[in-house]
Every structure is written in structure tokens, then in C-alpha cells.
Amino acid sequence: MVERRRYRTVVSDSALWARFRFRDGDIVISTPPKCGTTWMQMLCALLVFDTADLPRPLTEISPWVDATTYDTEAILAGLEGQRHRRFVKTHTPLDGLPSEAGVTYVCVGRDPRDAMLSFEHAVANIDPVAIAAGGLDQHTGPPPSEDPLERFRVWADAEFTPESDWFGVSLANLVHHVRTFWDHRDEPQVALFHYADLKADLPGQLARLADALSIDVPLQRLGELADAATFEGMRNRADELAPGVDAKLWRSNKDFFRAGTSGQWRDLLDAATLDHYRRRVAELAPPDLVEWLHTGSP
């Protein structure tokens, strides 16, 4: 039996997966934070239900299984009662998840620099009341620098940490997460996508996803469904699609879908910081993975 790595942060604990009873056909969406988790949940919902009119808010249909900030018993009971094909969310890498026959594991990668900036914007959008209520203000590390370039360097230089008293967000953790999928990307139960590819050709990537999930959808229908998953379309439905709306997590639900663009890091990083980043990421991943992380499919 392969021993799974345990991942713990202030908001999650992969040990909770031991309480989840899998079914044949289940879909596990496992992404690093701010790499397109909600987007992939929406794409799975469109394929599973064959409609953009979802029966309930997305976070209720596709909950975060190993989150510690929600009622685990209620989540598991809700999933047990679902009769449609189930698709669930996690930020746990593949080596921390149970390996189950008949389950498809889906990951989305993103340019780490964009993911880092997107995470900073997300943290700034968390309502202070929700931070206090969830105990997220109990971080014991030093306060973050007011200099965004210094915060970027700290994020880039942090070591890989499967257990963290904060969110566990760092360049090393992101690369490790994607690499657990990259190393198994040719296996039939593993499906690896890239944020840039979703941006460039959403209908084509939705077709890829349908193939990975063995869901037969006519080409014209794929285009119609993809129209419901554009960034602007999802932003306009933020109150039913953003995670944490039930807990009033965000100052603005719409701002959870802030921009959805790539390359925003160019406005922040100077030449020295960018050179430092390139050296660091080369230490963490082989050249083919580094290239894919920054560009997506050839």
C-alpha cells in the first residue's frame, strides 16, 4: 500500500479524505490555489448537467472535501445524497489523495507568477469578519512586507512545506503540486490542463475534458456550454459560482473573479527579481515542466 503524504494548512487537512466514500465515476479537481479551481468546477458542472442552469450554488454541488473551515459531516452527507456524477474540489496534491479505481483526477496549472499575484488579490478581498471567524488571523509567522517585490521574493524562496500555519502558498508548493500530476500525466485517470490553454481555446479544452471524463457531447453543444464559462459570464454569476459565498467570505463576490488575465506580473517584477525567479524555478522543476508552467501546450 502506497503511503500518502499528509498536507495541512490553516484551512485544510488532507487526512479528511479518509472519511470520503468514493464512487465509480467520481471526479477530483485538485489545483494549486488561484490556478483555475472554480473555472474547472464550472466546466465539470456544464458537462455533468449539460446545462448552465445549475440546481444549486456551485460550492454546494462541488464542495471542498478536506477543508477544515466547513462542517465536514454536512459536506459528506450532502455528497452521499447526490445522485448525479460527483465532482469535488481540493488543493491537496496528487500524492496526498487516495488512489481509487474509476476516479478521474483533474489538475490545472498556471504561470506561477500570475497565481501569486492572484492569491494576493484574493487575500485582500477576504472580509475581515470572515478572517477572524475562521481563525485566519492567528498566523504565527512574521507579518508580510509592505513591499510587493519583497513579498514576491519571499514567496519564491520559501521551501516546500506540506504543513503550514498559513495557506501553504509558495512557488515551491505550487511546482510540487503540479509535478505530482505532471509525472503521471500519461495515465488514463489523470487529466492535466493549463490556465493559458483554457483562455486561448475554451471550447477545445472543454472537449478535452469531456474526453477525459468519457462524456459524449456534440461539437456544437460544447461551444454552447463553453459560452457559459467565459470569465465575464462567471463574474456576472459570482453570487452563485464564487466559493465561500455561503460563509460571506469575500468583501465582493464579483472581485473573486477579478481579472482572469495572464502576464500581470510584468507590471510588478523588475529585471533583477525576474532573474532571481527564473533561477529559483529552475531549481524546483525539470526544464520541460518549467516551460509548460509558463506557456501551456506547445
Side-chain angles (χ1 to χ4, degrees):
M1 182 177 180
V2 178
E3 183 176 354
R4 289 182 281 123
R5 188 193 297 268
R6 185 176 185 180
Y7 291 87
R8 283 187 286 187
T9 72
V10 71
V11 292
S12 64
D13 184 349
S14 66
L16 292 174
W17 279 99
R19 300 165 64 180
F20 179 63
R21 296 198 298 179
F22 283 92
R23 296 177 191 163
D24 188 60
D26 279 344
I27 304 161
V28 177
I29 300 164
S30 163
T31 68
K34 305 310 296 180
C35 286
T37 316
T38 305
W39 202 358
M40 182 53 68
Q41 288 174 283
M42 182 61 172
L43 295 177
C44 287
L46 292 169
L47 292 176
V48 167
F49 295 111
D50 191 28
T51 180
D53 297 324
L54 304 184
R56 298 185 307 285
L58 185 59
T59 192
E60 293 181 16
I61 299 169
S62 177
W64 184 356
V65 170
D66 49 357
T68 57
T69 52
Y70 291 94
D71 183 340
T72 300
E73 291 301 329
I75 286 176
L76 296 177
L79 287 168
E80 194 67 25
Q82 289 185 4
R83 294 295 171 257
H84 56 77
R85 188 171 180 182
R86 303 184 303 181
F87 52 103
V88 295
K89 158 189 170 176
T90 183
H91 292 307
T92 295
L94 190 60
D95 62 353
L97 298 172
S99 179
E100 297 285 337
V103 174
T104 303
Y105 300 85
V106 181
C107 181
V108 184
R110 189 180 187 184
D111 186 321
R113 298 163 293 189
D114 285 317
M116 187 274 181
L117 293 185
S118 182
F119 180 78
E120 285 214 327
H121 289 302
V123 170
N125 189 35
I126 299 177
D127 190 291
V129 175
I131 290 178
L136 305 184
D137 55 352
Q138 302 301 312
H139 177 47
T140 59
S145 169
E146 294 185 2
D147 179 1
L149 280 179
E150 179 60 26
R151 292 198 303 272
F152 184 90
R153 294 187 191 101
V154 169
W155 165 84
D157 289 341
E159 297 298 327
F160 166 65
T161 51
E163 299 192 20
S164 168
D165 66 347
W166 191 230
F167 290 106
V169 173
S170 68
L171 175 60
N173 280 26
L174 186 154
V175 171
H176 170 81
H177 189 137
V178 175
R179 190 169 185 173
T180 63
F181 280 84
W182 179 262
D183 291 344
H184 296 275
R185 64 192 183 280
D186 294 326
E187 297 177 11
Q189 287 181 251
V190 172
L192 181 60
F193 292 80
H194 197 285
Y195 196 97
D197 295 333
L198 293 171
K199 290 283 293 182
D201 180 16
L202 190 55
Q205 292 300 300
L206 186 58
R208 268 196 67 215
L209 180 62
D211 183 63
L213 301 179
S214 300
I215 297 175
D216 187 20
V217 185
L219 186 60
Q220 180 179 347
R221 184 59 178 156
L222 283 169
E224 295 169 351
L225 293 174
D227 285 342
T230 62
F231 179 81
E232 194 58 36
M234 293 185 64
R235 191 172 193 272
N236 289 337
R237 299 173 61 184
D239 289 345
E240 60 177 304
L241 299 182
V245 293
D246 52 339
K248 299 181 180 179
L249 181 60
W250 311 111
R251 298 175 189 263
S252 166
N253 292 334
K254 277 197 169 186
D255 283 352
F256 174 81
F257 302 99
R258 177 178 168 273
T261 58
S262 300
Q264 296 181 68
W265 52 267
R266 292 187 177 89
D267 296 329
L268 169 66
L269 304 184
D270 57 24
T273 304
L274 190 55
D275 285 344
H276 182 85
Y277 166 82
R278 287 169 176 156
R279 290 193 297 271
R280 175 61 173 152
V281 77
E283 296 172 357
L284 297 171
D288 56 349
L289 176 52
V290 170
E291 181 178 4
W292 183 85
L293 275 170
H294 295 101
T295 63
S297 297

